Amino acid sequence: MNLKIAIQKKGRLSEKSLQLLEECGINISNGSRVLKAKAKNFPIEILFLRDDDIPQYVEQGVVDLGILGENEVLEKDKDVSIVSKLGFAQCRLSLAIPKEEDYKGLSYFEGKKIATSYPKILSNFFEKENINVQIEEIGGSVEIAPSIGLAQGIFDIVSTGSTLITNGLKEVETILTSEAVLIGTKNLSSEKQEILDRLLFRINAVQSSSENKYILLNAPNDNLQEIINILPGIKSPTILPLAKEGWSSIHSVIKEDTFWEIIEQLKNKGAEGILVLEIEKMIL
């Protein structure tokens, strides 16, 4: 029995999804134009589909799982579960208006027409804000809508904001932040749930390794307790005596997002020979 997983058939999200599975030790061979592939060493089958079709296929049980952007999941509003957030393909969905317009808050959009490829997300947002807007649904090239008189503003995915600037627009409100998620059907059999649990175990190990660094350092024993307090590790640091009297070697794990702050604190407490290593896998 294989667990069926749908991923986007092309693009950056597809590449990152396959990379994640590879980092989980799952060997998938997919040549060009192949829309279905089986893993050689794990009981899963991959289907390569349009991302906006994936929620429907998961809801109907055609596939068991899907990897796609959270924004697409919310827009399609199908009866599926978000099993796990995957930490890549981050983006934001924002409102933008012509750069010469004076913006003082959401009330600006009262009675105005907004062009978007995400009408459901946008409609739900403005309903909660009790603001009446007209939504113009278009499939692409949303940024051009104000300049051709189709709408007074847009709601779309923003990354660097350069496309908005090129089209004479400015970002005024971020409505949603999104990332890749693993979604699942709500009626998995016990056999497939067991396979999913094994897959999630591997995904969690990969995610934990990317969020942490392994650190080794030499520390004076006089400041050992203070340095230990800075470096709690997963449970507590490993401490080994050095040949040099009065010094110890400390091994620990630190979070990527606090890395430089912690390094500075360690240096201030007399730590020397600090070595920082990538972690390939981390089993908690």
Side-chain angles (χ1 to χ4, degrees):
M1 176 178 293
N2 288 323
L3 197 64
K4 293 182 179 180
I5 305 178
I7 69 171
Q8 189 173 316
K9 61 182 179 181
K10 60 182 179 179
R12 184 65 174 163
L13 183 57
S14 177
E15 295 171 3
K16 295 292 288 184
S17 300
L18 290 172
Q19 180 184 335
L20 173 63
L21 294 175
E22 181 181 349
E23 290 173 348
C24 288
I26 299 172
N27 188 353
I28 298 166
S29 176
N30 65 305
S32 61
R33 300 182 184 277
V34 173
L35 297 180
K36 187 167 67 171
K38 288 185 178 180
K40 296 179 179 179
N41 58 348
F42 197 82
I44 63 172
E45 182 177 341
I46 305 297
L47 279 72
F48 298 91
L49 306 171
R50 283 172 50 99
D51 61 343
D52 52 358
D53 288 336
I54 292 175
Q56 178 180 342
Y57 287 172
V58 173
E59 180 186 54
Q60 295 175 346
V62 176
V63 294
D64 305 303
L65 303 170
I67 299 177
L68 71 165
E70 188 177 5
N71 54 305
E72 287 292 343
V73 178
L74 296 175
E75 179 61 31
K76 296 305 178 183
D77 195 26
K78 299 297 183 180
D79 189 23
V80 299
S81 299
I82 294 181
V83 178
S84 177
K85 294 194 174 187
L86 300 177
F88 59 85
Q90 291 95 343
C91 66
R92 63 188 186 273
L93 274 70
S94 296
L95 290 160
I97 61 174
K99 62 181 180 181
E100 67 274 6
E101 289 288 313
D102 184 25
Y103 183 78
K104 295 182 178 179
L106 285 172
S107 59
Y108 169 89
F109 292 100
E110 179 68 42
K112 288 186 170 61
K113 186 182 289 186
I114 306 171
T116 185
S117 300
Y118 299 93
K120 184 174 290 291
I121 293 173
L122 186 61
S123 175
N124 289 341
F125 172 77
F126 276 114
E127 282 180 12
K128 291 178 181 177
E129 296 292 332
N130 293 316
I131 295 174
N132 295 312
V133 298
Q134 300 177 57
I135 296 176
E136 187 72 32
E137 182 179 358
I138 56 179
S141 302
V142 176
E143 295 86 355
I144 200 174
S147 65
I148 62 175
L150 183 63
Q152 286 88 38
I154 70 165
F155 175 63
D156 202 19
I157 291 177
V158 178
S159 52
T160 63
S162 59
T163 304
L164 295 179
I165 294 172
T166 301
N167 286 277
L169 302 173
K170 62 182 178 182
E171 184 180 2
V172 293
E173 297 281 351
T174 296
I175 305 305
L176 174 73
T177 56
S178 175
E179 64 181 272
V181 294
L182 179 68
I183 62 171
T185 184
K186 292 187 174 180
N187 56 349
L188 274 184
S189 66
S190 58
E191 293 87 352
K192 288 188 174 183
Q193 182 63 50
E194 182 179 352
I195 299 171
L196 173 57
D197 290 341
R198 291 169 58 195
L199 177 61
L200 289 174
F201 176 79
R202 297 190 183 196
I203 289 174
N204 291 336
V206 171
Q207 288 180 323
S208 295
S209 66
S210 66
E211 295 169 357
N212 292 277
K213 301 285 188 184
Y214 189 78
I215 185 169
L216 302 87
L217 58 93
N218 297 330
N221 290 343
D222 290 344
N223 294 340
L224 200 57
Q225 189 56 55
E226 291 177 90
I227 290 176
I228 290 172
N229 291 339
I230 297 171
L231 284 174
I234 301 173
K235 289 188 177 179
S236 64
T238 299
I239 302 172
L240 300 171
L242 290 179
K244 183 178 180 180
E245 187 176 350
W247 284 77
S248 295
S249 173
I250 300 180
H251 299 216
S252 189
V253 172
I254 60 176
K255 288 284 187 182
E256 173 73 30
D257 57 3
T258 60
F259 172 77
W260 287 111
E261 179 184 346
I262 287 178
I263 294 297
E264 290 175 1
Q265 293 180 51
L266 294 172
K267 290 288 290 181
N268 290 336
K269 296 298 180 182
E272 297 179 358
I274 301 173
L275 180 63
V276 181
L277 303 173
E278 296 285 346
I279 301 174
E280 185 175 339
K281 301 289 184 295
M282 185 170 170
I283 313 301
L284 299 176

